[in-house]
Amino acid sequence: MVTASGEPGELTMYLYGRQDAAKVALDGEPQAIERLRETKRLGI
């Protein structure tokens, strides 16, 4: 499991595909974080 934290606007950008621009902190197991970073779409 990965926990994403940040300001609401930053989290929104992250969820809508602006991962490179969003200021979001990811916390969790390294393998899970890497898998999330490799994901192209988050289903939103």
Side-chain angles (χ1 to χ4, degrees):
M1 179 164 82
V2 177
T3 301
S5 57
E7 295 293 322
E10 299 293 329
L11 292 169
T12 300
M13 283 196 325
Y14 189 89
L15 292 173
Y16 280 89
R18 301 283 318 271
Q19 290 89 351
D20 292 336
K23 295 177 183 171
V24 173
L26 301 175
D27 185 44
E29 293 188 23
Q31 299 91 347
I33 292 172
E34 186 61 32
R35 186 170 177 196
L36 176 63
R37 287 187 172 143
E38 292 173 351
T39 301
K40 301 295 183 205
R41 292 188 68 201
L42 296 175
I44 295 177

